[in-house]
Amino acid sequence: MTVPRSYDAVIVGGGHNGLVAAAYLARAGRSVLVLERLPGTGGAAVSTRPFPGVDARLSRYSYLVSLLPRKIVRDLGLRFTVARRTISSYTPVERRGRATGLLVGGERTRESFAALTGSDAEYTAWRRFYARTGHVAQRVFPTLTEPLPTREALRARIDDDEAWRMLFEEPVGVAVEEHFADDLVRGVVLTDALIGTFADAHDPSLVQNRCFLYHVIGGGTGDWNVPVGGMGALTTALADAARAAGAEIRTGHEATRITTDGHHAEVAFRTADGEGAAGARYVLVGASPHTLAGLLGESAPPPAEGAQLKVNMLLTRLPRLRDRSVDPREAFAGTFHISEGYGQLAAAYREAAAGRLPGAPPSEIYCHSLSDPTILGPDLAARGHQTLTLFGLHTPARLFAADNDAARAALLKATLAELDTHLDEPLADCLATDAEGRPCIEAKTPLDLEREVGLPGGHIFHGDLAFPHATDTTGRWGVETTHANVLLCGAGAVRGGGVSGIPGHNAAMAVLGR
């Protein structure tokens, strides 16, 4: 079954970045075909009902929004909004035999720092540190949808030698230890350098710095917001915008080969009914660099390795906390850090690097339904049900290679046990059950993510992130490949990673010559 025409652009992959590219190009009058392997669009940015017979639509893989520029939402006329979380984070800990914790956000932040640490010193350092990263965010975020600046131009734009040193030149662990003395505070800061990245605070490669940078510059503020209606609301809006502009979107179409002479390309694909091909002036690939290499028949880049556990849950109620000074609705409204002290993070990294599941797995949780109850059916919402999303750190794919199912079960058990140490009742007592009487909880390892949504090695960024400036090999927009008419528009592009749409925007701009 051959598509009987050639297109200005064929886009491989109907994830959010591919849809952004499709919408921009179609709105500019280009003929566009999107080929998506799965039965629906959205890739890893989807909402599903994972528990049989339960009316709760969860953001199954990716779950918060920070890096999506308002420019893209405006340009494409998207019907999509985000809700701001009232609390940034809560981190429980036991000190001097007493359950306590650090609450960041709202009017009690300063009081919470003082109660935890005994003075205002850490709070003052916190404000100073994040004022500096906030300055960087304001200067760097607008550049992400512009042609890549040189390293020197980006440094001049930031115009803060201290910020440049701590983010771009020295391991971020140096800055964390320089600014903060308290182990728990240090750990809370460091987590932004480790989400989706397996590294030590002092890794000389600075991969943790790159991760940290992308976590603190979103929107020019670093805020992480809740997608109203779930992550699927974004990708549905993008698909609608692309189709409305004239793009063709074909699901159940798996690209199998790309051939190109630099001027014209052909994309071969297969479906349940047979095989076909489509011609194109440009091919934009929203899949990973590893998938792109395979489609071109070229050598693959170094293997990627994800390092996270993703857990989705539905509760009948939020659990009570041992720290009675904090309401569970406050604690779970932001990011609830578990076993993420600075020393705990370092220990978990050492264990995983040695080939063992961490004994005290670090993780963080948030409750989408507190900020956006629309993801719950009316009956569940009325009865007080809540969702929890957990993201575990320092669990590289290699730890699951021998027996994925057994390692997943062991890690989930250990992770929930760490959470239970801070609760006044077992989490299991709060889990809802599905139509077949099973607890509403599911866990995904890196190997599960690779199998289900094609993330190489389960890496949520398709590979290690890059600093957002040009190098000798990046090209003008950071989406270019060795073939003039084949562009990378997925998370593996420079300035990729996360749910942002930025690589899709930038690939479209490269095609349009803007």
Side-chain angles (χ1 to χ4, degrees), residues 91 181 208 243 274 322 482 497:
T91 310
Q208 74 281 25
R243 288 191 178 99
R322 290 184 60 216
T482 56

Side-chain angles (χ1 to χ4, degrees), residues 237-419:
L238 285 169
D240 289 346
R243 288 191 178 99
E248 296 180 40
I249 299 176
R250 301 188 178 216
T251 58
H253 283 57
E254 181 180 8
T256 56
R257 187 181 69 256
I258 297 172
T259 55
T260 179
D261 61 8
H263 300 284
H264 186 270
E266 184 177 272
V267 181
F269 58 83
R270 61 172 165 247
T271 72
D273 300 320
E275 298 184 347
R281 173 69 183 88
Y282 286 94
V283 177
L284 283 65
V285 178
S288 72
H290 300 75
T291 298
L292 173 58
L295 291 171
L296 289 167
E298 299 176 347
S299 299
E305 182 181 38
Q308 69 285 317
L309 178 74
K310 175 68 161 56
V311 182
N312 295 312
M313 295 172 267
L314 179 69
L315 310 183
T316 58
R317 66 182 185 281
L318 292 175
R320 298 186 300 271
L321 304 177
R322 290 184 60 216
D323 179 4
R324 297 300 180 85
S325 70
V326 179
D327 188 297
R329 295 180 67 87
E330 283 186 301
F332 287 102
T335 300
F336 189 110
H337 297 279
I338 307 161
S339 301
E340 289 190 332
Y342 199 65
Q344 291 173 307
L345 289 168
Y349 174 78
R350 289 193 299 269
E351 289 178 277
R356 303 187 303 273
L357 289 172
S363 63
E364 43 199 59
I365 295 177
Y366 96 105
C367 178
H368 184 129
S369 51
L370 283 174
S371 301
D372 171 31
T374 67
I375 64 169
L376 297 175
D379 179 61
L380 294 180
R383 288 190 285 143
H385 283 55
Q386 302 287 357
T387 65
L388 286 188
T389 294
L390 181 147
F391 195 95
L393 282 65
H394 285 337
T395 54
R398 69 192 81 158
L399 301 182
F400 303 89
D403 189 334
N404 186 45
D405 291 342
R408 184 199 307 112
L411 180 61
L412 179 60
K413 181 179 179 180
T415 299
L416 297 183
E418 285 300 298
L419 171 59

